[in-house]
């Protein structure tokens, strides 16, 4: 039995959830998103306007594991359409700078050339103070993927901690 799967999902006031056959359509102030739900394993119901409950049809070990995962995916999608997801990256190093040029993020990372990153659709990127990059969007997975791809352009080295890191990330120094 999944402890997380049993919990009802809280729905904010401004967010609307529509349940169709095997699909969840979420709309909120930040945008809308459509999720598919395996209707052979799960059923979704709304006992009231504030809660969404996901129940199992067949109970076994693998479906119990998927129950908690599915609930977490739906919960993060509801948070995404209502308030959005955000990650903050920091550039640390002498001469490390970031600038936005339309749909491209141009980075000076100490190489002999500028490094550019194409921003995917559904992601809003802002650059503050030329060393702080804010990544925001409604899809949690896409925000994390973009943040990790940008971090991989210049991995933080352990000697002087130069590179791109997330805000609050601990770097083991030598």
């Amino acid at each position: 039995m999944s402890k997380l799967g049993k919990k009802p999902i809280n729905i904010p006031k401004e967010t609307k959830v529509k349940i169709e056959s095997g699909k969840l359509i979420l709309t909120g102030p930040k945008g809308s998103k459509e999720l598919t739900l395996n209707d052979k394993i799960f059923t979704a119901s709304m006992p009231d306007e504030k809660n969404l409950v996901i129940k199992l049809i067949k109970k076994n070990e693998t479906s119990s594991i998927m129950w908690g995962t599915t609930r977490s995916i739906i919960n993060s999608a509801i948070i995404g359409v209502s308030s959005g997801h955000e990650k903050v990256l920091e550039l640390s190093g002498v001469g490390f700078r970031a600038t936005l040029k339309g749909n491209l993020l141009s980075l000076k990372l100490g190489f002999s050339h500028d490094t550019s990153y194409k921003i995917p659709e559904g992601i809003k990127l802002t650059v503050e103070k030329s060393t702080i990059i804010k990544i925001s969007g409604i899809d949690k997975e896409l925000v994390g993927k973009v943040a990790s791809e940008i971090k991989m352009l210049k991995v933080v080295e352990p000697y002087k901690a130069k590179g791109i890191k997330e805000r609050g990330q601990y770097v083991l120094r030598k």
Side-chain angles (χ1 to χ4, degrees):
M1 211 51 170
S2 173
K3 292 179 186 177
L4 190 63
K6 287 187 227 175
K7 292 182 182 177
I9 301 169
N10 241 1
I11 301 171
K13 290 179 184 176
E14 62 273 354
T15 306
K16 290 183 175 57
V17 177
K18 190 176 178 184
I19 303 169
E20 291 181 2
S21 60
K23 289 185 179 181
L24 286 172
I25 300 167
L26 312 168
T27 55
K30 296 282 183 175
S32 63
K33 189 170 182 177
E34 187 175 309
L35 295 172
T36 57
L37 191 68
N38 191 345
D39 54 352
K40 294 178 182 172
I41 302 172
F42 305 110
T43 59
S45 63
M46 292 177 61
D48 54 9
E49 292 292 315
K50 295 181 181 178
N51 292 322
L52 175 70
V53 178
I54 298 162
K55 293 182 181 173
L56 276 174
I57 296 172
K58 297 178 181 177
K59 292 184 181 179
N60 58 27
E61 191 174 335
T62 55
S63 63
S64 179
I65 294 167
M66 288 172 35
W67 189 17
T69 305
T70 305
R71 187 228 179 251
S72 294
I73 290 169
I74 294 170
N75 188 38
S76 64
I78 288 175
I79 292 169
V81 296
S82 63
S83 61
H85 297 285
E86 183 179 88
K87 290 211 177 219
V88 180
L89 301 180
E90 297 172 341
L91 278 73
S92 56
V94 178
F96 286 17
R97 277 186 238 110
T99 53
L100 270 175
K101 296 178 183 173
N103 202 24
L104 284 174
L105 175 68
S106 180
L107 297 159
K108 294 184 180 186
L109 299 172
F111 301 125
S112 61
H113 57 282
D114 288 356
T115 309
S116 61
Y117 179 78
K118 188 177 182 295
I119 304 166
E121 281 187 38
I123 294 294
K124 185 178 178 233
L125 221 120
T126 56
V127 177
E128 298 176 0
K129 299 183 190 176
S130 74
T131 58
I132 297 173
I133 304 168
K134 283 192 177 180
I135 305 162
S136 57
I138 62 169
D139 190 3
K140 186 176 185 177
E141 182 181 359
L142 187 59
V143 170
K145 180 180 177 247
V146 169
S148 111
E149 287 175 352
I150 293 174
K151 285 187 339 184
M152 291 306 292
L153 294 174
K154 183 71 175 181
V155 180
V156 180
E157 50 97 8
Y159 299 104
K160 291 188 178 180
K162 289 183 184 179
I164 305 171
K165 65 175 185 150
E166 272 186 52
R167 180 168 282 165
Q169 176 182 342
Y170 179 75
V171 178
L172 186 63
R173 305 238 352 228
K174 290 185 177 180

